[in-house]
């Protein structure tokens, strides 16, 4: 399973979180631990891939892609609204 996961998501090989205790990204209600996890993410070369993957899978827990579950939900909604607006603009352009 791990090997399959690596082949499907090769960007994970470049993530800053490799070798970090996964529990570090599930800080619960500790603002200091959340900040520490976000700092690891903020310095990661593949943060965008991670965020996109987390949003695509609908992950609602932990710090993934530099955002909490609540923040990812807002980002997903923002992206959805942006895509709908673009689709409307495209349909108007075809009139």
């Amino acid at each position: 399973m791990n090997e399959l996961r690596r082949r499907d998501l090769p960007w994970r090989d470049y993530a800053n979180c490799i070798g970090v205790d996964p529990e570090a990204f599930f800080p619960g209600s500790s603002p200091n631990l959340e900040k520490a996890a976000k700092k690891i993410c903020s310095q990661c070369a593949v943060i965008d891939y991670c965020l996109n993957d987390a949003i695509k899978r609908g992950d609602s827990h932990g710090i993934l892609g530099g955002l909490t579950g609540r923040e990812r939900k807002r980002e997903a909604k923002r992206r959805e609204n942006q895509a709908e607006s673009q689709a409307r603009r495209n349909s108007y352009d075809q009139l």
Side-chain angles (χ1 to χ4, degrees):
M1 175 90 165
N2 247 355
E3 187 58 36
L4 176 63
R5 184 177 291 174
R6 260 194 284 241
R7 276 196 317 261
D8 291 344
L9 304 170
W11 57 264
R12 286 187 177 178
D13 292 339
Y14 303 98
N16 277 6
C17 58
I18 289 180
V20 177
D21 181 357
E23 290 299 313
F25 298 94
F26 296 88
S29 59
S30 171
N32 289 337
L33 294 177
E34 180 179 309
K35 188 175 180 178
K38 285 183 172 187
K39 183 174 182 176
I40 293 168
C41 292
S42 73
Q43 299 167 348
C44 185
V46 295
I47 189 172
D48 293 332
Y49 293 100
C50 183
L51 178 58
N52 291 338
D53 183 57
I55 289 173
K56 180 181 172 184
R57 290 185 290 123
D59 283 332
S60 60
H61 300 288
I63 307 297
L64 298 169
L67 301 179
T68 65
R70 181 174 287 154
E71 292 166 337
R72 285 191 304 279
K73 186 174 182 179
R74 280 194 300 259
E75 175 63 12
K77 185 64 174 168
R78 185 194 68 76
R79 290 178 182 192
E80 183 180 311
N81 290 340
Q82 186 177 29
E84 288 172 0
S85 293
Q86 185 62 47
R88 278 195 299 276
R89 281 192 295 273
N90 290 344
S91 68
Y92 294 143
D93 289 344
Q94 294 176 3
L95 294 177

